[in-house]
Amino acid sequence: RGRGRGAMAAATRVTEPRALLDLRAEAEVARHKQMDARNPRQFQVIAEALASAEQDYAARCELAKSKAYASQRSRLGTVGAGAGGEDDDVDEDRFAQVARLTDEQFRALALERHERASATDVDTALSPPPPQPRQSTAHSRPASSRGADVAPPRPPPGRP
């Protein structure tokens, strides 16, 4: 079974640690009890711990996302394809090659790969023509009934 559009998003999800969830709940309770006004130092400790945990979680999510992105680009075979001949170092890790590419280079390589695939596609001659746009139903009514259900425009206010 093929992977859908949300497959990459699902692959990059990182489970939230229990400590982070507990800190979020504790900070919410502290805000609800107005601890930031009543006991600002204790609230500051909770807020700093939550900020640190959120920062660690964001870093883990970013790392997982970059790994999934590199894996996807590698799986599609766009790394080094058509970039001026053979790869410089065959023994080099594919992830290192992906890390060196900029977004513009990746887009150019993907476009080249797409053009090569569409040039060798034999099934395009056998595919049906694209669908024609549908006619509007407003033109299918007789001319006498057009606008019959629409009220005539009113004159501007202040003029007879």
Side-chain angles (χ1 to χ4, degrees):
R1 183 175 173 168
R3 292 169 30 153
R5 283 183 166 213
M8 278 305 287
T12 60
R13 284 197 189 109
V14 178
T15 57
E16 296 175 331
R18 185 70 186 163
L20 176 61
L21 297 174
D22 291 342
L23 279 171
R24 285 178 181 166
E26 187 177 352
E28 183 64 31
V29 168
R31 275 191 294 274
H32 181 69
K33 291 183 176 181
Q34 299 177 348
M35 189 180 285
D36 54 341
R38 294 180 183 175
N39 195 349
R41 288 189 182 185
Q42 186 177 2
F43 183 77
Q44 183 180 4
V45 169
I46 295 170
E48 287 175 357
L50 178 61
S52 174
E54 291 282 2
Q55 189 176 19
D56 292 344
Y57 177 69
R60 287 179 49 213
C61 288
E62 189 63 33
L63 180 65
K65 186 191 287 186
S66 65
K67 282 184 181 179
Y69 181 64
S71 172
Q72 178 74 4
R73 288 172 65 176
S74 173
R75 185 180 67 81
L76 291 174
T78 56
V79 178
E86 298 293 319
D87 290 337
D88 295 336
D89 187 12
V90 179
D91 297 332
E92 189 175 11
D93 187 26
R94 292 194 85 157
F95 289 113
Q97 292 174 351
V98 170
R100 283 193 327 227
L101 290 177
T102 64
D103 286 338
E104 291 79 22
Q105 290 171 334
F106 175 71
R107 286 186 187 115
L109 293 174
L111 182 61
E112 289 175 16
R113 182 174 181 264
H114 175 72
E115 289 171 354
R116 281 195 311 267
S118 63
T120 60
D121 191 12
V122 180
D123 294 332
T124 55
L126 303 175
S127 63
Q132 297 295 324
R134 294 177 52 180
Q135 293 284 334
S136 174
T137 58
H139 299 292
S140 62
R141 294 189 297 178
S144 62
S145 67
R146 282 190 206 149
D149 55 340
V150 179
R154 287 197 252 157
R159 293 190 178 179

